[in-house]
Amino acid sequence: MDVYREQGKQMAVKWRLPIGRNYKLGVRLVSVSLAGLIFGLSMVLGTLWLSWALEGAAAAVNDTGSLRMQSVRIGLNLSQPKIDISQLRMQMQALEQTLENLKRGDPQRPLRMPASTSVQEQFAKLADTWQTKLVPILQTYERNPELRSYATKNYLAELSNFVTDADRLVWQIEAENAYDTSILRGSQLALIVLMLAGSVALIYLLYGWVIRPVQALQHGITQMTTGDFDTRVPVEGHDEFGELATGFNDMAAQLKALYSDLESRVEEKTRQLGLQNKELAILYEFSAYLSQPGELEQRCNGFLTRLIEHFGAKGGTVRILDSRQHNLHLTVHQGISEQFAKDELCLHAGDCLCGEAAQKGVMQLHDFRHMAKDFHYRCQEEGFNSIAIAQIKLGDGQHLGSYTLHFEKPREFTAEDRKLFEAVGQHLAVAIENQRLLTRTRQLAVAEERNLVAQGLHDSIAQGLNFLKLQIQMLQDSIKRDAKEEVQEVIGLIDLGVRESYEDVRELLTSFRIKLGEGDLSDSLEIAANRFKQQSGLPVTLAIRDNGALLPSEHQLQILFILQEALSNIRKHANARNVQISLNNSDDFILSIQDDGDGFNINAAKIQSESHIGLKIMRERAAQLGARLEIISKSGQGTTIRLILPHSARMAV
């Protein structure tokens, strides 16, 4: 590659090195731009200053001319038979103010006396003539009325000298203006010439700095597209284009080297892709198998069979970790004797090679030929010469166990083999965790249903039995007091309580025996309505509109339980004459149970008490569905119970 760089430098000799190519392009462009900007601003400021000076000198010519007019006006005023002294003073002040303005100048008008020595001397002479000759004459005229005629003659005699000095000053200012005007025109012509020269120089520099290197790179790229990887771009400096040229030459050299062994690289990449595809296929096979339903031992056994077959092992084991005791329990085994399996059925984490690997949490390979001869492991006694141990780990690092392969002949594990051997363990960990979660879900469902059953027993049979217990105590007390009327009354209450408890038992048994097939909720509602009609003798109106998606079976069962609890409350407490049941299954699922019975005050404290546990059970079942239970009731106006399952909370079947 250094040879190609030297070739590029030699090619640069054929090109003339542009000015400044050893500096960065950004530095050069900024420098040229700043230089042009400073030069242009300087020329513009110079012309502006000359224009301002010419305007100021023109104003000075006007003010100097006004001095002549003001001095002559004073002379004419002195020649009048009657003169106003105040007007004379005002004319003198105006002339002196004009002299002061000429002396100080005014940048805003603008007003400026040329700074040349001749103009300044002539102005000083004019001011001196006014101050030393004309002002004393006018002061004499003002103070001595008897000498006014004499003062007038003297003023008019000296006025010609003042006017002559003013004319000479005007001529000198105009001469200075003409000189400044010529300088302005010359500077403008020079600016035009310099702008043309700068443009030509800038074009030349841009061509040498940008266009020519870009053309060289373009030419090199064109040659490269034709397959000529020997082409090189001249390196003319150390700027950005020089770095690009160097990079282009390096790229050309690398491309030539790459194309020279492209075929071998393609074969190597193809081989690697084949191995990766094979690994992915194996991982997919393991994942597909482990995702199937089945018992944990069955999944582990199939996993071990596939693992032994792929790696060519003689046997293997899968051990599950007991996190409480830190023991590894042998779950499945293949290719080892039953005595071996019995001896290592439970292995403490840290014992033997498998326990040690599990404690460290890393994959390990052991070749017994290279280990100490004075100690023999149980695996060696089985005739194995090497083992491979990996961990069953979840993605968060949770350790669930380990698996081991036993080899009669030592097997070398490549990096791909190690990666695959560890990766399949993660799939097994997911399968084990899913199996555990499924078991916990089932246990939780059973526990929740048992809780609801216990609540049902407590709220129906237990309360009825408690009522009967109290009535029996009252019966015993009445018998002791020989109160026959109270005895008959208590016996009637006991009979009523027994019949209520019997009805509660029948309802609970009916609820426990309910079985729903998928999609038969409408039929189950009709059966429940007919059963209620037979038990209570009340007319029941059933309206079903079912054109929505099916609900899961467990949701249908909970809905049926809620309906039965609502009908049971109507039978026991409502004293209703008619019952209406409506089902609307569209986007939202809405079940409504309405009666025209006594109703109740929802806000009353007794409604919130534990005695009305039936409403509490219905609310709990609705909460399990993700539904909303609405209860609308007023004393003497009946009750409406509405179960609403919104579309967002529905589960797909």
Side-chain angles (χ1 to χ4, degrees):
M1 193 173 295
D2 294 335
V3 175
Y4 293 123
R5 292 182 179 176
E6 291 298 328
Q7 291 180 0
K9 293 179 180 179
Q10 293 175 6
M11 293 177 64
V13 178
K14 300 178 182 180
W15 298 74
R16 185 172 57 183
L17 188 65
I19 299 174
R21 283 297 299 274
N22 289 330
Y23 296 96
K24 295 294 183 181
L25 179 62
V27 175
R28 284 178 279 148
L29 291 176
V30 172
S31 301
V32 171
S33 300
L34 289 176
L37 179 63
I38 293 172
F39 174 76
L41 289 176
S42 300
M43 296 299 295
V44 170
L45 291 175
T47 54
L48 289 175
W49 184 85
L50 286 174
S51 299
W52 178 80
L54 289 173
E55 291 180 10
V61 169
N62 291 333
D63 284 10
T64 304
S66 68
L67 288 175
R68 293 179 298 183
M69 293 179 61
Q70 291 172 350
S71 63
V72 171
R73 191 175 295 153
I74 292 173
L76 292 175
N77 194 17
L78 293 177
S79 302
Q80 298 294 327
K82 291 184 69 176
I83 184 172
D84 188 355
I85 298 301
S86 61
Q87 184 179 4
L88 177 63
R89 291 175 181 172
M90 292 176 59
Q91 290 175 344
M92 290 175 62
Q93 291 176 357
L95 192 146
E96 290 179 352
Q97 183 63 42
T98 303
L99 286 173
E100 185 66 22
N101 291 339
L102 287 171
K103 181 179 179 180
R104 292 185 178 182
D106 187 0
Q108 296 182 353
R109 286 181 56 182
L111 173 63
R112 176 182 176 276
M113 289 284 292
S116 63
T117 304
S118 59
V119 172
Q120 294 295 328
E121 289 178 352
Q122 183 61 34
F123 176 76
K125 182 179 178 182
L126 178 65
D128 183 69
T129 300
W130 167 258
Q131 292 292 339
T132 59
K133 294 182 179 180
L134 295 181
V135 171
I137 294 174
L138 292 174
Q139 291 177 349
T140 301
Y141 183 89
E142 180 182 357
R143 297 170 182 173
N144 300 312
E146 65 276 4
L147 299 177
R148 287 180 178 177
S149 60
Y150 173 77
T152 301
K153 292 179 181 180
N154 290 339
Y155 180 83
L156 294 176
E158 294 293 336
L159 179 61
S160 60
N161 295 329
F162 183 80
V163 172
T164 301
D165 290 340
D167 291 339
R168 188 175 291 111
L169 179 61
V170 170
W171 177 81
Q172 290 179 351
I173 293 174
E174 289 178 346
E176 289 292 332
N177 264 11
Y179 177 74
D180 290 342
T181 302
S182 63
I183 293 176
L184 177 62
R185 292 174 179 173
S187 62
Q188 290 175 342
L189 291 175
L191 179 61
I192 293 173
V193 173
L194 290 174
M195 287 177 62
L196 293 174
S199 300
V200 173
L202 182 61
I203 292 172
Y204 170 75
L205 291 176
L206 288 177
Y207 178 79
W209 289 349
V210 179
I211 298 175
R212 192 171 66 189
V214 170
Q215 289 177 344
L217 286 171
Q218 184 181 10
H219 176 73
I221 292 173
T222 303
Q223 293 296 111
M224 190 81 71
T225 56
T226 61
D228 182 11
F229 297 107
D230 291 325
T231 184
R232 296 294 180 269
V233 176
V235 181
E236 300 182 3
H238 301 290
D239 60 351
E240 288 86 347
F241 285 107
E243 295 176 356
L244 283 175
T246 302
F248 179 87
N249 294 336
D250 293 341
M251 179 189 68
Q254 292 178 5
L255 286 176
K256 183 177 180 181
L258 288 174
Y259 269 78
S260 62
D261 61 345
L262 180 61
E263 184 175 354
S264 61
R265 288 176 176 268
V266 170
E267 292 179 355
E268 178 64 21
K269 289 294 182 182
T270 303
R271 186 187 67 82
Q272 293 179 358
L273 287 175
L275 292 176
Q276 291 177 358
N277 289 334
K278 184 178 179 181
E279 292 176 3
L280 289 176
I282 295 172
L283 288 175
Y284 176 77
E285 178 185 356
F286 275 92
S287 178
Y289 172 76
L290 293 173
S291 62
Q292 297 176 2
E295 297 298 329
L296 178 60
E297 185 175 348
Q298 180 184 359
R299 296 298 99 197
C300 291
N301 194 38
F303 167 82
L304 187 58
T305 300
R306 287 164 173 76
L307 198 64
I308 291 174
E309 180 180 353
H310 176 73
F311 285 97
K314 186 65 175 178
T317 59
V318 175
R319 303 175 186 271
I320 303 300
L321 176 66
D322 181 1
S323 58
R324 297 171 301 175
Q325 303 294 333
H326 296 285
N327 292 331
L328 289 169
H329 297 281
L330 185 62
T331 304
V332 295
H333 61 87
Q334 294 181 20
I336 62 175
S337 65
E338 293 298 329
Q339 184 61 39
F340 181 19
K342 182 178 180 181
D343 292 342
E344 296 197 359
L345 184 62
C346 181
L347 185 67
H348 189 271
D351 293 346
C352 197
L353 295 177
C354 295
E356 179 183 350
Q359 190 175 44
K360 294 181 178 179
V362 295
M363 174 187 172
Q364 291 188 1
L365 297 174
H366 295 287
D367 189 344
F368 296 131
R369 299 174 305 172
H370 302 152
M371 300 180 70
K373 304 296 183 180
D374 55 348
F375 182 80
H376 287 271
Y377 292 96
R378 189 70 175 83
C379 300
Q380 292 177 276
E381 297 176 1
E382 289 286 317
F384 301 116
N385 288 318
S386 66
I387 60 173
I389 311 168
Q391 310 308 312
I392 306 175
K393 283 185 179 181
L394 290 173
D396 57 359
Q398 183 180 355
H399 186 203
L400 302 181
S402 66
Y403 51 96
T404 307
L405 290 183
H406 302 264
F407 299 93
E408 284 186 341
K409 297 180 180 179
R411 186 185 189 281
E412 295 294 333
F413 271 66
T414 63
E416 291 78 8
D417 291 337
R418 288 174 174 267
K419 184 177 179 181
L420 177 63
F421 189 58
E422 288 184 306
V424 294
Q426 296 180 2
H427 292 279
L428 179 59
V430 172
I432 294 174
E433 186 65 16
N434 289 339
Q435 186 70 23
R436 291 178 176 177
L437 291 176
L438 181 60
T439 302
R440 292 170 187 167
T441 302
R442 291 174 178 172
Q443 293 174 351
L444 180 61
V446 171
E448 290 178 353
E449 192 59 35
R450 287 178 176 176
N451 181 47
L452 291 176
V453 170
Q455 289 179 349
L457 291 173
H458 175 270
D459 302 327
S460 58
I461 298 176
Q463 291 185 2
L465 294 177
N466 187 47
F467 171 77
L468 292 175
K469 180 180 178 180
L470 293 175
Q471 295 302 321
I472 289 174
Q473 292 177 355
M474 293 177 63
L475 178 61
Q476 292 175 348
D477 182 66
S478 299
I479 292 174
K480 289 180 181 180
R481 292 186 289 103
D482 196 20
K484 296 182 179 181
E485 294 181 358
E486 292 183 5
V487 168
Q488 293 298 326
E489 182 180 355
V490 171
I491 290 175
L493 292 175
I494 292 175
D495 180 64
L496 177 62
V498 170
R499 283 188 282 110
E500 287 288 341
S501 298
Y502 177 71
E503 292 295 331
D504 289 339
V505 170
R506 290 187 60 186
E507 286 189 6
L508 288 174
L509 291 176
T510 302
S511 299
F512 297 157
R513 292 172 181 174
I514 288 177
K515 293 184 179 179
L516 277 173
E518 187 173 315
D520 61 349
L521 179 60
S522 300
D523 297 337
S524 300
L525 292 179
E526 292 182 1
I527 295 173
N530 292 330
R531 183 185 299 114
F532 173 78
K533 187 186 301 183
Q534 294 174 0
Q535 291 176 350
S536 63
L538 297 176
V540 179
T541 302
L542 180 63
I544 297 178
R545 181 185 176 189
D546 189 2
N547 55 1
L550 296 177
L551 295 176
S553 298
E554 56 271 20
H555 282 198
Q556 296 184 29
L557 188 60
Q558 295 293 342
I559 291 170
L560 189 56
F561 284 157
I562 292 174
L563 173 64
Q564 290 180 339
E565 184 65 33
L567 294 176
S568 177
N569 289 338
I570 293 174
R571 181 178 59 81
K572 294 178 181 179
H573 310 295
N575 295 322
R577 295 178 297 278
N578 295 283
V579 178
Q580 295 180 357
I581 303 173
S582 65
L583 170 66
N584 184 4
N585 182 18
S586 55
D587 287 342
D588 296 339
F589 181 92
I590 302 176
L591 175 65
S592 177
I593 305 102
Q594 183 177 0
D595 68 79
D596 57 355
D598 297 339
F600 55 88
N601 186 359
I602 298 178
N603 298 322
K606 64 179 181 179
I607 301 304
Q608 307 297 330
S609 66
E610 290 297 328
S611 62
H612 291 267
I613 199 67
L615 298 179
K616 179 180 178 183
I617 292 175
M618 285 192 288
R619 288 193 177 96
E620 290 179 354
R621 292 187 183 274
Q624 290 180 359
L625 299 174
R628 184 174 71 255
L629 187 70
E630 295 181 353
I631 302 175
I632 304 172
S633 182
K634 290 184 179 180
S635 298
Q637 299 183 13
T639 302
T640 299
I641 296 178
R642 186 178 292 114
L643 177 69
I644 302 174
L645 180 63
H647 178 74
S648 58
R650 297 182 66 153
M651 293 178 56
V653 179

